[in-house]
Amino acid sequence: MDDVKTLISLDEETTDDDEPVAPKVAVKSSPPPTAVVDILNDDIPTPSTGVGVGNNNSGTLMPDKDDDDLPALLDHTPSYSGNSALNGNLPPNDRDNAESEPIFRVRSRTAVASTPNYESLDYEVCENKLFQDEQKKRLTERFSLRKDIIRWIIFIQIGIITALIACSIDIIIEELSELKYMFLMTSVEKNVPQTDFTGGDLVVPFLYWILLSVVPVAFGAAMVTYIEPITAGSGIPQVKSYLNGVKIPRIVRIKTLAVKAIGVITSVVGGLAGGKEGPMIHAGAVVAAGISQGKSTTFVKDFHVFKAFRDDHEKRDFVLGGGAAGVSAAFGAPIGGMLFSLEEAASFWNQNLIWRTLVASIISVFTLNLVLSTYHGLNDFTFTGLFNLGKFDQPLKFDYFELPIFMLLGITGGLLGAAWNSLNTKINGFRKRYIPWKIGKVCEAVVVAMFGVTLACTMIYFINDCRPLGNDPTIHPVQLFCEDNEYNAVAALWFQTPEATVRSLFHDPPGSHKILTLTMFTIVYYVLSCATFGLNVSLGVFIPTALVGAAWGRLFAMVTYYLFPETEFLHPGKYALIGAAANLGGVLRMTISLSVILMETTGVETSFFFPLIIALISAKWVGDYFNEGIYDTQIEVNHVPILPWEPLPQYKGLTAREILSSPVVCIKLRDSAHYIYNVLKKCDHNGFPVVDDVQGVHRSQGRVCGIVLRSQLIVILLKSLYVENSRFWLPDTSIQTFRDVYPRYPSIESVRKLDDKINYTVDLAMFMNPSPVRVNAHDSVPRIFQVFRALGLRHMLVINNENRIAGIITRRDFIYK
């Protein structure tokens, strides 16, 4: 890697919950041409360090003599000619005054100007004096036990509500799909002769099919595009980023859930190559985030319950449980759902969280089983999940000489998955560049839907694959161009939902399809699924990936049996299952959770776990050689600054001193309200070190005694929590004062100017976190990375041997690109 690297720029400090702000750009006198600028702190370095422009306002840095010791962080004074401040030189008459002013410092790493900025989440618990007082008080009230019981109740509620939403989506899709394909079957029988290839009019059913696909797809794409764009796709990359500590705007809102549910229904009914299982994870996350807070910011309604859980740390754990409940409801796999959340989504967990997540998953599966079994009229309550693959009639067995074959299929799945991920990334890059308009995104979804219908009709028309009735895999077999007591096997693959087609490929008896049929179907659906994933519609990638894998896995068994008809071990359903696992492993790069999900959804014996895991591991290893899984690829393409499990190799041998940001904007333990107000107005940092033992106005040389968050400072100013009037607010102020405004903290714009309170003082002793994580400047980067990630930090203070601030480290300092 070059010495000059690209750094993902994080907007760590914005309080707006709706949109990321524009990226920061600065100029540096030496290469590279584009650099990240940071608002840093009270002391100006030597002129060689340089200053620049940053944030959302441009201008040179000039001290403001009318603001006491307040630094002019952003001033709109025009640049000087000649020795410009942008080139690292201050005017001679201002050089002395700048000794106490925070400045912009040009970093040695660069940021792409088009990279969006993301805000981090505060997963670290702020254990200030108010928090500690609450803990002491409630110990006598047995609050800890009551809080644990309430936490269990919330997880149970998450499982129940997530399952009910899944049932509603599944029933609506099933009923609408039934009407759609029944109507198409009737139209085909009326307009196309049964045995004569001449004189038929396939145009009318084709037009009906186009209409019944385009209308719901256009409606769903319009809702996603114009109402809530965050609902596009499966939502798993967004949930994964959220659980890693990145704030994704609007990801867990009620409006997001409503648009997601409608978008999934319209997309699946419209016949797009996708499934409803992936979006259920996002739906479960929204349910968890909403229930656990006991309030709705969308409807401005506070139910005054669950107030103790109103912080990012608690909310994160509930969102993880909601994601697991969503996976469990989708697949009827409680253990698989829990493992999926831990393997693919979670960045932090503990033993208690695993137990609660498992309970939420079990409750979700039980509720869905109960509701859907009642709906379908079953007496034994054995309906298993939305993705019901059915049970194999006979136990799946394998011989040990088949293990190399399973490994070969895994390698094939890894190659096909890597190619799929690469092609899909290029297609999404093309549509992002050439289809930026909203109406264009809706039209693109409509075109893809029409393209899929056209390919399906072309296959049905040109491939003659008639099979005897009785082996038909669809509820409504079509006799298109076939003799009496026969059905068209090609139409059977298309005239049903993708989930039903996967089930058919698993359980159809040998001889149910021609080799040509499955060959063309595999190619067509491979391309179609690749073009579909990335559209502005709510769809998951699990179903089309499993369908393609099941098709080519069954095809492998058919071709092998055709070449070696004496073989007896080639059960087509078995190889369809291995093919689906291999293809899923090649695209998603999951192993343990995926194998458990497939076992739970098909009911195969535990002895068959070995072939599944061999195929999955082979697919993952081969695919990882070429690229990352599709979820990680989407995260990387969208420049989301997610922290990996291990630090990047570039950080080996570095120390904290080489990656920190300095100097730092600091606030004194007892500081003027006017200074705090102007700092918040002129910079957008989220956390400020609190210092004492300050010599003069050099705050950045003070001794560290804590850290205070931007949100806390704004609440302090809004509620006028000043030392001078403490007798009015002190008795009624508690940690709940800050929780009541969570999660949409007010911005500094909502605070009126402090004209009449310019001399008021703020004492941060009871508000700041007195025990922030601190590291020494000579500590190694790999070590502090592990601490930073394991604790879910947003800020890490770097100090010298005298406990004075040396710099600060945030998420962006660990992310090179």
Side-chain angles (χ1 to χ4, degrees):
M1 177 170 286
D2 299 335
D3 291 334
V4 178
K5 306 175 179 66
T6 301
L7 175 69
I8 293 299
S9 177
L10 263 182
D11 185 279
E12 294 271 1
E13 291 73 36
T14 56
T15 58
D16 186 6
D17 190 40
D18 292 330
E19 298 291 346
V21 298
K24 305 174 184 177
V25 184
V27 182
K28 191 177 180 181
S29 57
S30 59
T34 307
V36 175
V37 238
D38 302 308
I39 299 178
L40 302 169
N41 259 9
D42 292 7
D43 306 311
I44 188 165
T46 58
S48 61
T49 303
V51 292
V53 296
N55 289 350
N56 298 322
N57 304 310
S58 298
T60 56
L61 192 64
M62 291 294 298
D64 190 347
K65 297 186 177 74
D66 297 328
D67 262 353
D68 300 324
D69 61 345
L70 173 71
L73 297 176
L74 282 172
D75 191 21
H76 295 280
T77 307
S79 302
Y80 290 93
S81 57
N83 292 333
S84 171
L86 291 178
N87 294 323
N89 300 312
L90 288 172
N93 59 340
D94 285 318
R95 198 165 293 179
D96 294 334
N97 291 334
E99 286 295 321
S100 63
E101 308 303 334
I103 64 153
F104 295 106
R105 178 181 174 184
V106 180
R107 298 171 65 87
S108 61
R109 286 159 283 178
T110 62
V112 182
S114 61
T115 298
N117 289 285
Y118 289 92
E119 184 180 354
S120 294
L121 293 165
D122 294 299
Y123 283 162
E124 183 184 15
V125 178
C126 181
E127 297 183 352
N128 56 17
K129 187 176 184 301
L130 298 175
F131 179 84
Q132 293 170 356
D133 290 344
E134 180 194 56
Q135 299 298 306
K136 293 177 182 178
K137 176 183 176 182
R138 289 176 170 174
L139 277 177
T140 61
E141 300 174 358
R142 298 184 180 274
F143 176 77
S144 297
L145 178 61
R146 186 164 68 249
K147 186 176 180 180
D148 287 339
I149 293 175
I150 294 174
R151 187 181 281 111
W152 280 102
I153 293 174
I154 294 175
F155 273 97
I156 292 174
Q157 290 178 335
I158 290 171
I160 293 173
I161 297 178
T162 302
L164 293 178
I165 293 174
C167 291
S168 302
I169 293 175
D170 182 67
I171 291 172
I172 294 173
I173 289 177
E174 185 175 335
E175 293 297 331
L176 293 179
S177 298
E178 176 83 6
L179 294 175
K180 172 184 176 180
Y181 293 115
M182 174 67 81
F183 176 80
L184 291 176
M185 185 194 71
T186 305
S187 176
V188 169
E189 291 177 348
K190 288 182 178 179
N191 293 277
V192 181
Q194 299 176 351
T195 58
D196 187 7
F197 279 85
T198 62
D201 189 6
L202 195 59
V203 175
V204 175
F206 172 72
L207 294 178
Y208 279 137
W209 198 351
I210 288 284
L211 181 65
L212 293 176
S213 297
V214 165
V215 171
V217 168
F219 180 74
M223 286 196 65
V224 170
T225 303
Y226 288 97
I227 298 179
E228 202 55 82
I230 194 66
T231 58
S234 66
I236 295 177
Q238 291 89 336
V239 173
K240 182 175 181 178
S241 301
Y242 178 89
L243 293 173
N244 188 264
V246 181
K247 185 175 183 180
I248 308 296
R250 306 180 307 278
I251 186 178
V252 287
R253 294 189 182 177
I254 293 179
K255 185 171 71 171
T256 300
L257 176 60
V259 175
K260 192 84 174 184
I262 297 174
V264 169
I265 292 171
T266 54
S267 299
V268 175
V269 172
L272 290 178
K276 56 185 177 291
E277 284 70 23
M280 281 308 307
I281 301 168
H282 190 182
V286 177
V287 169
I291 293 177
S292 63
Q293 302 306 295
K295 62 186 292 189
S296 171
T297 52
T298 301
F299 297 108
V300 196
K301 179 66 175 177
D302 192 339
F303 299 98
H304 302 288
V305 294
F306 307 149
K307 291 184 178 181
F309 304 111
R310 292 180 182 177
D311 60 58
D312 287 339
H313 180 270
E314 293 283 359
K315 191 174 181 179
R316 175 196 69 194
D317 293 347
F318 289 116
V319 168
L320 179 63
V327 177
S328 303
F331 301 105
I335 299 177
M338 181 198 66
L339 292 175
F340 179 90
S341 294
L342 296 182
E343 180 182 8
E344 185 63 21
S347 293
F348 315 96
W349 67 76
N350 55 54
Q351 187 176 24
N352 291 331
L353 181 58
I354 293 175
W355 274 108
R356 298 185 191 112
T357 302
L358 180 60
V359 168
S361 301
I362 294 174
I363 293 297
S364 178
V365 171
F366 175 77
T367 303
L368 182 132
N369 189 351
L370 187 66
V371 174
L372 291 185
S373 296
T374 303
Y375 173 77
H376 290 283
L378 301 179
N379 295 323
D380 52 359
F381 301 109
T382 56
F383 197 91
T384 55
L386 306 185
F387 187 51
N388 186 3
L389 297 179
K391 307 298 181 182
F392 285 93
D393 296 333
Q394 298 178 350
L396 293 182
K397 299 179 180 180
F398 68 96
D399 295 312
Y400 287 104
F401 63 81
E402 293 183 85
L403 294 180
I405 301 177
F406 298 149
M407 187 176 296
L408 178 63
L409 293 178
I411 294 173
T412 304
L415 294 174
L416 291 176
W420 193 95
N421 291 352
S422 177
L423 180 60
N424 179 258
T425 302
K426 292 180 179 178
I427 292 175
N428 290 336
F430 175 86
R431 58 171 49 114
K432 181 182 293 186
R433 180 176 181 182
Y434 294 102
I435 313 178
W437 314 280
K438 291 184 177 180
I439 187 64
K441 295 178 180 179
V442 176
C443 293
E444 182 194 13
V446 170
V447 169
V448 172
M450 296 175 62
F451 180 64
V453 172
T454 303
L455 290 176
C457 286
T458 302
M459 282 187 60
I460 293 172
Y461 186 81
F462 286 103
I463 299 178
N464 180 22
D465 190 359
C466 296
R467 299 293 165 179
L469 285 171
N471 294 333
D472 50 292
T474 183
I475 301 175
H476 305 293
V478 179
Q479 195 182 343
L480 182 65
F481 303 140
C482 294
E483 301 289 344
D484 291 339
N485 296 321
E486 290 184 341
Y487 73 97
N488 191 301
V490 183
L493 291 174
W494 292 100
F495 273 42
Q496 57 187 355
T497 59
E499 293 94 330
T501 305
V502 176
R503 186 164 57 249
S504 300
L505 293 174
F506 280 5
H507 301 287
D508 285 353
S512 298
H513 308 89
K514 283 185 176 179
I515 292 178
L516 177 62
T517 299
L518 283 186
T519 302
M520 294 305 301
F521 182 80
T522 301
I523 296 173
V524 168
Y525 219 86
Y526 185 91
V527 176
L528 197 60
S529 62
C530 196
T532 302
F533 192 65
L535 294 176
N536 253 38
V537 295
S538 298
L539 272 183
V541 72
F542 192 97
I543 296 301
T545 303
L547 179 53
V548 171
W552 66 254
R554 189 180 182 95
L555 178 63
F556 171 82
M558 293 170 60
V559 172
T560 305
Y561 184 78
Y562 177 79
L563 297 176
F564 307 99
E566 68 280 358
T567 54
E568 298 180 355
F569 61 88
L570 291 170
H571 187 287
K574 175 174 67 176
Y575 281 88
L577 176 60
I578 293 295
N583 209 54
L584 285 167
V587 173
L588 305 181
R589 311 292 164 78
M590 296 186 298
T591 53
I592 301 174
S593 61
L594 199 54
S595 59
V596 174
I597 287 174
L598 289 174
M599 289 181 63
E600 289 185 289
T601 53
T602 56
V604 298
E605 292 71 20
T606 54
S607 60
F608 205 73
F609 179 83
F610 191 51
L612 284 175
I613 203 67
I614 284 180
L616 284 167
I617 290 177
S618 301
K620 174 178 171 56
W621 284 351
V622 172
D624 284 343
Y625 180 80
F626 297 98
N627 50 39
E628 294 181 319
I630 188 60
Y631 299 142
D632 293 325
T633 300
Q634 282 195 320
I635 291 172
E636 182 178 356
V637 167
N638 291 321
H639 305 293
V640 180
I642 190 171
L643 290 178
W645 287 102
E646 299 291 338
L648 299 177
Q650 301 94 296
Y651 288 103
K652 293 182 179 179
L654 298 182
T655 61
R657 181 180 290 105
E658 296 171 274
I659 69 168
L660 57 79
S661 300
S662 69
V664 185
V665 179
C666 298
I667 298 177
K668 291 189 292 185
L669 186 60
R670 290 175 64 95
D671 218 328
S672 68
H674 185 60
Y675 176 84
I676 294 174
Y677 175 82
N678 281 277
V679 165
L680 295 177
K681 287 284 287 185
K682 295 180 179 181
C683 75
D684 59 359
H685 291 326
N686 180 75
F688 302 90
V690 180
V691 296
D692 61 3
D693 192 21
V694 177
Q695 302 297 325
V697 294
H698 298 281
R699 289 178 174 81
S700 63
Q701 297 178 6
R703 185 180 59 198
V704 177
C705 56
I707 189 170
V708 65
L709 301 180
R710 181 185 189 89
S711 58
Q712 295 173 303
L713 293 174
I714 293 176
V715 172
I716 290 171
L717 297 181
L718 272 176
K719 296 186 178 294
S720 299
L721 306 182
Y722 305 126
V723 174
E724 288 75 7
N725 59 354
S726 60
R727 65 184 182 277
F728 299 111
W729 57 262
L730 190 58
D732 300 325
T733 301
S734 66
I735 192 66
Q736 199 59 45
T737 305
F738 298 87
R739 287 176 180 161
D740 286 340
V741 293
Y742 178 84
R744 299 188 193 177
Y745 293 109
S747 67
I748 189 61
E749 304 301 329
S750 60
V751 180
R752 292 180 297 179
K753 289 187 177 180
L754 308 179
D755 296 331
D756 57 337
K757 302 175 182 177
I758 191 169
N759 295 321
Y760 277 40
T761 305
V762 175
D763 188 348
L764 297 176
M766 66 187 307
F767 305 114
M768 70 175 183
N769 182 359
S771 54
V773 176
R774 286 170 273 199
V775 297
N776 203 286
H778 55 70
D779 289 349
S780 70
V781 173
R783 178 179 177 275
I784 65 176
F785 175 86
Q786 297 295 343
V787 174
F788 190 96
R789 194 186 191 285
L791 298 180
L793 301 181
R794 184 169 184 175
H795 311 95
M796 175 180 280
L797 302 184
V798 183
I799 60 174
N800 59 21
N801 293 333
E802 298 177 352
N803 192 32
R804 299 188 183 273
I805 190 73
I808 194 169
I809 293 175
T810 57
R811 174 180 294 259
R812 62 181 171 188
D813 297 305
F814 292 112
I815 300 175
Y816 278 108
K817 292 295 178 184

